[in-house]
Amino acid sequence: MSGFASGSDIISYVAVGDSFTEGLDDPCCETDGTGPVRYRGWADRLAEHLAADRDEVRYANLAVRGKLIRQVTGHQVPRAVELQPDLVTFCAGGNDIIRPGADPDATARIFETAIRKLAATGARIVVFTGMDTGFQPVMRHLRGKVATYNMHVRAVADDYGCDVVDLWGMHVLRDRQAWSRDRLHLSAEGHRRIALRVCEVLGADTPADWREPWPAATPRPWRSARREDLVWAREHLVPWIGRRLTGRSSGDGIEPKRPELEPLQPAGPGN
């Protein structure tokens, strides 16, 4: 498909998905602790890159943390269709795959339904494979299901002419510096690299290389690493299990951060 190279044009972009696309854990600004944190994330960064050399980019982000693919397809996709954008990014299914008893084949059928509806708009569609979880001890057992789902994603992308961002092949994401403290969401630097990767897939200008090696990490003594594991389990794993057992979601009561297509200001240097 044609690239999104620089030019004096106007484009509209809608991001659809869950916490990955909402931007957790990449806070956009400091807060005083009295209100909710607003997240930036790779989709915001992508929109900023696209706006850097265009007359205007109109951007909406419908993604909400914790949503299952059926919820994304049922609520966000119809809204994206209404907005009639030039570009749609769609990433969903991860919250389904990590649940006990998840069926990647059934999840893929819902994925195909969503892409079929989006493709009917004529928009350029970008989809994402799941990441390789082999480097994460807690998530390693899901690797086979993620790989199965990825094969479906690629097949659907071929059928509907979608661009594919291969997160599985992004080896830079296997470094702990790419992840936030909860070990489930990307760090700000992880999001920055994803945005650069999507720009590359789109054929847009990129100000940096997402493959750039990470700075050398400070060695962690064994005792400190185990202490971090205990803190992580208490602050992140136990609450996650609690939500699963009670049927709650981290996205309950959360509204999309950019529900309308609105003009975006260009990104600053180094973003």
PDB file of all heavy atoms in Angstrom, residues 165-188:
ATOM      1  N   VAL A 165       2.052  -4.865  12.036  1.00  0.00           N
ATOM      2  CA  VAL A 165       3.194  -4.517  12.876  1.00  0.00           C
ATOM      3  C   VAL A 165       3.562  -5.772  13.667  1.00  0.00           C
ATOM      4  O   VAL A 165       2.774  -6.240  14.502  1.00  0.00           O
ATOM      5  CB  VAL A 165       2.865  -3.355  13.832  1.00  0.00           C
ATOM      6  CG1 VAL A 165       4.044  -3.070  14.759  1.00  0.00           C
ATOM      7  CG2 VAL A 165       2.496  -2.106  13.044  1.00  0.00           C
ATOM      8  N   ASP A 166       4.719  -6.313  13.404  1.00  0.00           N
ATOM      9  CA  ASP A 166       5.150  -7.575  14.003  1.00  0.00           C
ATOM     10  C   ASP A 166       5.796  -7.328  15.362  1.00  0.00           C
ATOM     11  O   ASP A 166       7.023  -7.196  15.470  1.00  0.00           O
ATOM     12  CB  ASP A 166       6.112  -8.283  13.059  1.00  0.00           C
ATOM     13  CG  ASP A 166       6.590  -9.627  13.612  1.00  0.00           C
ATOM     14  OD1 ASP A 166       5.931 -10.155  14.532  1.00  0.00           O
ATOM     15  OD2 ASP A 166       7.622 -10.129  13.129  1.00  0.00           O
ATOM     16  N   LEU A 167       4.993  -7.280  16.405  1.00  0.00           N
ATOM     17  CA  LEU A 167       5.524  -7.082  17.751  1.00  0.00           C
ATOM     18  C   LEU A 167       6.323  -8.298  18.210  1.00  0.00           C
ATOM     19  O   LEU A 167       7.278  -8.163  18.987  1.00  0.00           O
ATOM     20  CB  LEU A 167       4.385  -6.809  18.735  1.00  0.00           C
ATOM     21  CG  LEU A 167       3.531  -5.567  18.469  1.00  0.00           C
ATOM     22  CD1 LEU A 167       2.461  -5.424  19.546  1.00  0.00           C
ATOM     23  CD2 LEU A 167       4.384  -4.306  18.401  1.00  0.00           C
ATOM     24  N   TRP A 168       5.938  -9.471  17.759  1.00  0.00           N
ATOM     25  CA  TRP A 168       6.666 -10.697  18.125  1.00  0.00           C
ATOM     26  C   TRP A 168       8.133 -10.594  17.716  1.00  0.00           C
ATOM     27  O   TRP A 168       9.028 -11.031  18.429  1.00  0.00           O
ATOM     28  CB  TRP A 168       6.002 -11.897  17.454  1.00  0.00           C
ATOM     29  CG  TRP A 168       6.597 -13.234  17.801  1.00  0.00           C
ATOM     30  CD1 TRP A 168       7.774 -13.760  17.342  1.00  0.00           C
ATOM     31  CD2 TRP A 168       6.044 -14.217  18.688  1.00  0.00           C
ATOM     32  NE1 TRP A 168       7.987 -15.017  17.871  1.00  0.00           N
ATOM     33  CE2 TRP A 168       6.940 -15.329  18.696  1.00  0.00           C
ATOM     34  CE3 TRP A 168       4.878 -14.304  19.446  1.00  0.00           C
ATOM     35  CZ2 TRP A 168       6.695 -16.484  19.446  1.00  0.00           C
ATOM     36  CZ3 TRP A 168       4.640 -15.454  20.194  1.00  0.00           C
ATOM     37  CH2 TRP A 168       5.539 -16.522  20.195  1.00  0.00           C
ATOM     38  N   GLY A 169       8.388  -9.993  16.570  1.00  0.00           N
ATOM     39  CA  GLY A 169       9.748  -9.892  16.065  1.00  0.00           C
ATOM     40  C   GLY A 169      10.534  -8.708  16.582  1.00  0.00           C
ATOM     41  O   GLY A 169      11.715  -8.565  16.232  1.00  0.00           O
ATOM     42  N   MET A 170       9.930  -7.866  17.413  1.00  0.00           N
ATOM     43  CA  MET A 170      10.649  -6.719  17.964  1.00  0.00           C
ATOM     44  C   MET A 170      11.446  -7.162  19.192  1.00  0.00           C
ATOM     45  O   MET A 170      10.969  -7.090  20.330  1.00  0.00           O
ATOM     46  CB  MET A 170       9.674  -5.597  18.328  1.00  0.00           C
ATOM     47  CG  MET A 170       9.073  -4.887  17.129  1.00  0.00           C
ATOM     48  SD  MET A 170       8.028  -3.466  17.590  1.00  0.00           S
ATOM     49  CE  MET A 170       9.256  -2.336  18.301  1.00  0.00           C
ATOM     50  N   HIS A 171      12.654  -7.618  18.961  1.00  0.00           N
ATOM     51  CA  HIS A 171      13.467  -8.155  20.044  1.00  0.00           C
ATOM     52  C   HIS A 171      13.800  -7.105  21.102  1.00  0.00           C
ATOM     53  O   HIS A 171      14.095  -7.470  22.259  1.00  0.00           O
ATOM     54  CB  HIS A 171      14.753  -8.763  19.479  1.00  0.00           C
ATOM     55  CG  HIS A 171      14.503  -9.964  18.612  1.00  0.00           C
ATOM     56  ND1 HIS A 171      15.502 -10.602  17.919  1.00  0.00           N
ATOM     57  CD2 HIS A 171      13.351 -10.631  18.317  1.00  0.00           C
ATOM     58  CE1 HIS A 171      14.999 -11.619  17.232  1.00  0.00           C
ATOM     59  NE2 HIS A 171      13.701 -11.655  17.458  1.00  0.00           N
ATOM     60  N   VAL A 172      13.729  -5.826  20.749  1.00  0.00           N
ATOM     61  CA  VAL A 172      14.024  -4.791  21.741  1.00  0.00           C
ATOM     62  C   VAL A 172      13.002  -4.814  22.874  1.00  0.00           C
ATOM     63  O   VAL A 172      13.266  -4.307  23.976  1.00  0.00           O
ATOM     64  CB  VAL A 172      14.059  -3.385  21.110  1.00  0.00           C
ATOM     65  CG1 VAL A 172      15.198  -3.257  20.132  1.00  0.00           C
ATOM     66  CG2 VAL A 172      12.721  -3.032  20.464  1.00  0.00           C
ATOM     67  N   LEU A 173      11.832  -5.406  22.632  1.00  0.00           N
ATOM     68  CA  LEU A 173      10.800  -5.466  23.667  1.00  0.00           C
ATOM     69  C   LEU A 173      11.054  -6.563  24.692  1.00  0.00           C
ATOM     70  O   LEU A 173      10.310  -6.686  25.667  1.00  0.00           O
ATOM     71  CB  LEU A 173       9.422  -5.672  23.032  1.00  0.00           C
ATOM     72  CG  LEU A 173       8.959  -4.574  22.066  1.00  0.00           C
ATOM     73  CD1 LEU A 173       7.592  -4.912  21.515  1.00  0.00           C
ATOM     74  CD2 LEU A 173       8.942  -3.210  22.754  1.00  0.00           C
ATOM     75  N   ARG A 174      12.108  -7.332  24.495  1.00  0.00           N
ATOM     76  CA  ARG A 174      12.434  -8.404  25.436  1.00  0.00           C
ATOM     77  C   ARG A 174      13.372  -7.927  26.539  1.00  0.00           C
ATOM     78  O   ARG A 174      13.862  -8.738  27.337  1.00  0.00           O
ATOM     79  CB  ARG A 174      13.045  -9.593  24.690  1.00  0.00           C
ATOM     80  CG  ARG A 174      12.095 -10.172  23.652  1.00  0.00           C
ATOM     81  CD  ARG A 174      12.728 -11.269  22.828  1.00  0.00           C
ATOM     82  NE  ARG A 174      11.859 -11.627  21.703  1.00  0.00           N
ATOM     83  CZ  ARG A 174      12.176 -12.504  20.762  1.00  0.00           C
ATOM     84  NH1 ARG A 174      13.357 -13.118  20.816  1.00  0.00           N
ATOM     85  NH2 ARG A 174      11.346 -12.769  19.784  1.00  0.00           N
ATOM     86  N   ASP A 175      13.613  -6.638  26.580  1.00  0.00           N
ATOM     87  CA  ASP A 175      14.432  -6.035  27.639  1.00  0.00           C
ATOM     88  C   ASP A 175      13.499  -5.451  28.692  1.00  0.00           C
ATOM     89  O   ASP A 175      12.467  -4.847  28.368  1.00  0.00           O
ATOM     90  CB  ASP A 175      15.304  -4.933  27.032  1.00  0.00           C
ATOM     91  CG  ASP A 175      16.361  -4.435  28.001  1.00  0.00           C
ATOM     92  OD1 ASP A 175      15.972  -3.769  28.994  1.00  0.00           O
ATOM     93  OD2 ASP A 175      17.548  -4.694  27.772  1.00  0.00           O
ATOM     94  N   ARG A 176      13.841  -5.607  29.953  1.00  0.00           N
ATOM     95  CA  ARG A 176      12.950  -5.122  31.011  1.00  0.00           C
ATOM     96  C   ARG A 176      12.798  -3.606  31.001  1.00  0.00           C
ATOM     97  O   ARG A 176      11.844  -3.080  31.574  1.00  0.00           O
ATOM     98  CB  ARG A 176      13.429  -5.597  32.386  1.00  0.00           C
ATOM     99  CG  ARG A 176      14.766  -5.075  32.864  1.00  0.00           C
ATOM    100  CD  ARG A 176      15.162  -5.765  34.166  1.00  0.00           C
ATOM    101  NE  ARG A 176      16.442  -5.302  34.683  1.00  0.00           N
ATOM    102  CZ  ARG A 176      16.575  -4.315  35.565  1.00  0.00           C
ATOM    103  NH1 ARG A 176      15.503  -3.685  36.013  1.00  0.00           N
ATOM    104  NH2 ARG A 176      17.767  -3.960  35.999  1.00  0.00           N
ATOM    105  N   GLN A 177      13.714  -2.894  30.331  1.00  0.00           N
ATOM    106  CA  GLN A 177      13.581  -1.443  30.235  1.00  0.00           C
ATOM    107  C   GLN A 177      12.402  -1.027  29.347  1.00  0.00           C
ATOM    108  O   GLN A 177      11.979   0.122  29.372  1.00  0.00           O
ATOM    109  CB  GLN A 177      14.885  -0.838  29.699  1.00  0.00           C
ATOM    110  CG  GLN A 177      16.075  -1.031  30.620  1.00  0.00           C
ATOM    111  CD  GLN A 177      17.367  -0.521  30.016  1.00  0.00           C
ATOM    112  OE1 GLN A 177      17.644   0.686  30.029  1.00  0.00           O
ATOM    113  NE2 GLN A 177      18.171  -1.422  29.475  1.00  0.00           N
ATOM    114  N   ALA A 178      11.881  -1.978  28.555  1.00  0.00           N
ATOM    115  CA  ALA A 178      10.730  -1.684  27.698  1.00  0.00           C
ATOM    116  C   ALA A 178       9.414  -1.752  28.458  1.00  0.00           C
ATOM    117  O   ALA A 178       8.380  -1.378  27.914  1.00  0.00           O
ATOM    118  CB  ALA A 178      10.690  -2.669  26.524  1.00  0.00           C
ATOM    119  N   TRP A 179       9.476  -2.188  29.726  1.00  0.00           N
ATOM    120  CA  TRP A 179       8.251  -2.471  30.469  1.00  0.00           C
ATOM    121  C   TRP A 179       8.148  -1.638  31.733  1.00  0.00           C
ATOM    122  O   TRP A 179       9.146  -1.275  32.333  1.00  0.00           O
ATOM    123  CB  TRP A 179       8.196  -3.970  30.808  1.00  0.00           C
ATOM    124  CG  TRP A 179       8.170  -4.778  29.561  1.00  0.00           C
ATOM    125  CD1 TRP A 179       9.245  -5.243  28.855  1.00  0.00           C
ATOM    126  CD2 TRP A 179       7.023  -5.153  28.815  1.00  0.00           C
ATOM    127  NE1 TRP A 179       8.836  -5.894  27.733  1.00  0.00           N
ATOM    128  CE2 TRP A 179       7.480  -5.862  27.672  1.00  0.00           C
ATOM    129  CE3 TRP A 179       5.658  -4.973  29.006  1.00  0.00           C
ATOM    130  CZ2 TRP A 179       6.590  -6.375  26.725  1.00  0.00           C
ATOM    131  CZ3 TRP A 179       4.783  -5.489  28.065  1.00  0.00           C
ATOM    132  CH2 TRP A 179       5.252  -6.177  26.936  1.00  0.00           C
ATOM    133  N   SER A 180       6.921  -1.374  32.128  1.00  0.00           N
ATOM    134  CA  SER A 180       6.673  -0.621  33.351  1.00  0.00           C
ATOM    135  C   SER A 180       6.774  -1.551  34.559  1.00  0.00           C
ATOM    136  O   SER A 180       7.016  -2.754  34.427  1.00  0.00           O
ATOM    137  CB  SER A 180       5.292   0.028  33.311  1.00  0.00           C
ATOM    138  OG  SER A 180       4.276  -0.959  33.386  1.00  0.00           O
ATOM    139  N   ARG A 181       6.548  -1.004  35.721  1.00  0.00           N
ATOM    140  CA  ARG A 181       6.687  -1.775  36.956  1.00  0.00           C
ATOM    141  C   ARG A 181       5.714  -2.941  37.040  1.00  0.00           C
ATOM    142  O   ARG A 181       5.992  -3.946  37.698  1.00  0.00           O
ATOM    143  CB  ARG A 181       6.473  -0.866  38.170  1.00  0.00           C
ATOM    144  CG  ARG A 181       7.609   0.113  38.418  1.00  0.00           C
ATOM    145  CD  ARG A 181       7.328   0.934  39.657  1.00  0.00           C
ATOM    146  NE  ARG A 181       7.180   0.096  40.842  1.00  0.00           N
ATOM    147  CZ  ARG A 181       6.652   0.501  41.998  1.00  0.00           C
ATOM    148  NH1 ARG A 181       6.210   1.738  42.118  1.00  0.00           N
ATOM    149  NH2 ARG A 181       6.571  -0.319  43.017  1.00  0.00           N
ATOM    150  N   ASP A 182       4.560  -2.846  36.350  1.00  0.00           N
ATOM    151  CA  ASP A 182       3.589  -3.936  36.461  1.00  0.00           C
ATOM    152  C   ASP A 182       3.911  -5.112  35.546  1.00  0.00           C
ATOM    153  O   ASP A 182       3.250  -6.143  35.591  1.00  0.00           O
ATOM    154  CB  ASP A 182       2.166  -3.435  36.210  1.00  0.00           C
ATOM    155  CG  ASP A 182       1.892  -3.056  34.768  1.00  0.00           C
ATOM    156  OD1 ASP A 182       2.775  -3.226  33.906  1.00  0.00           O
ATOM    157  OD2 ASP A 182       0.769  -2.579  34.500  1.00  0.00           O
ATOM    158  N   ARG A 183       4.944  -4.971  34.694  1.00  0.00           N
ATOM    159  CA  ARG A 183       5.437  -6.033  33.818  1.00  0.00           C
ATOM    160  C   ARG A 183       4.390  -6.488  32.795  1.00  0.00           C
ATOM    161  O   ARG A 183       4.559  -7.528  32.143  1.00  0.00           O
ATOM    162  CB  ARG A 183       5.919  -7.244  34.637  1.00  0.00           C
ATOM    163  CG  ARG A 183       6.954  -6.886  35.686  1.00  0.00           C
ATOM    164  CD  ARG A 183       7.441  -8.090  36.451  1.00  0.00           C
ATOM    165  NE  ARG A 183       8.338  -7.707  37.540  1.00  0.00           N
ATOM    166  CZ  ARG A 183       8.905  -8.544  38.388  1.00  0.00           C
ATOM    167  NH1 ARG A 183       8.684  -9.860  38.270  1.00  0.00           N
ATOM    168  NH2 ARG A 183       9.700  -8.114  39.356  1.00  0.00           N
ATOM    169  N   LEU A 184       3.330  -5.737  32.643  1.00  0.00           N
ATOM    170  CA  LEU A 184       2.277  -6.051  31.685  1.00  0.00           C
ATOM    171  C   LEU A 184       2.127  -4.959  30.638  1.00  0.00           C
ATOM    172  O   LEU A 184       1.742  -5.228  29.502  1.00  0.00           O
ATOM    173  CB  LEU A 184       0.946  -6.256  32.423  1.00  0.00           C
ATOM    174  CG  LEU A 184      -0.243  -6.711  31.593  1.00  0.00           C
ATOM    175  CD1 LEU A 184       0.034  -8.083  30.972  1.00  0.00           C
ATOM    176  CD2 LEU A 184      -1.501  -6.766  32.455  1.00  0.00           C
ATOM    177  N   HIS A 185       2.441  -3.709  31.039  1.00  0.00           N
ATOM    178  CA  HIS A 185       2.321  -2.576  30.125  1.00  0.00           C
ATOM    179  C   HIS A 185       3.703  -2.011  29.796  1.00  0.00           C
ATOM    180  O   HIS A 185       4.640  -2.137  30.586  1.00  0.00           O
ATOM    181  CB  HIS A 185       1.439  -1.485  30.745  1.00  0.00           C
ATOM    182  CG  HIS A 185       0.043  -1.944  31.006  1.00  0.00           C
ATOM    183  ND1 HIS A 185      -0.408  -2.248  32.279  1.00  0.00           N
ATOM    184  CD2 HIS A 185      -0.997  -2.173  30.167  1.00  0.00           C
ATOM    185  CE1 HIS A 185      -1.669  -2.637  32.206  1.00  0.00           C
ATOM    186  NE2 HIS A 185      -2.048  -2.603  30.939  1.00  0.00           N
ATOM    187  N   LEU A 186       3.783  -1.371  28.651  1.00  0.00           N
ATOM    188  CA  LEU A 186       5.052  -0.814  28.206  1.00  0.00           C
ATOM    189  C   LEU A 186       5.452   0.404  29.027  1.00  0.00           C
ATOM    190  O   LEU A 186       4.605   1.127  29.547  1.00  0.00           O
ATOM    191  CB  LEU A 186       4.949  -0.413  26.737  1.00  0.00           C
ATOM    192  CG  LEU A 186       4.806  -1.550  25.722  1.00  0.00           C
ATOM    193  CD1 LEU A 186       4.429  -0.979  24.362  1.00  0.00           C
ATOM    194  CD2 LEU A 186       6.082  -2.370  25.634  1.00  0.00           C
ATOM    195  N   SER A 187       6.743   0.649  29.091  1.00  0.00           N
ATOM    196  CA  SER A 187       7.262   1.893  29.654  1.00  0.00           C
ATOM    197  C   SER A 187       7.123   2.994  28.610  1.00  0.00           C
ATOM    198  O   SER A 187       6.767   2.748  27.446  1.00  0.00           O
ATOM    199  CB  SER A 187       8.739   1.722  30.013  1.00  0.00           C
ATOM    200  OG  SER A 187       9.509   1.486  28.831  1.00  0.00           O
ATOM    201  N   ALA A 188       7.420   4.227  28.995  1.00  0.00           N
ATOM    202  CA  ALA A 188       7.377   5.330  28.044  1.00  0.00           C
ATOM    203  C   ALA A 188       8.321   5.074  26.873  1.00  0.00           C
ATOM    204  O   ALA A 188       7.977   5.326  25.710  1.00  0.00           O
ATOM    205  CB  ALA A 188       7.747   6.636  28.746  1.00  0.00           C
TER     206      ALA A 188
END
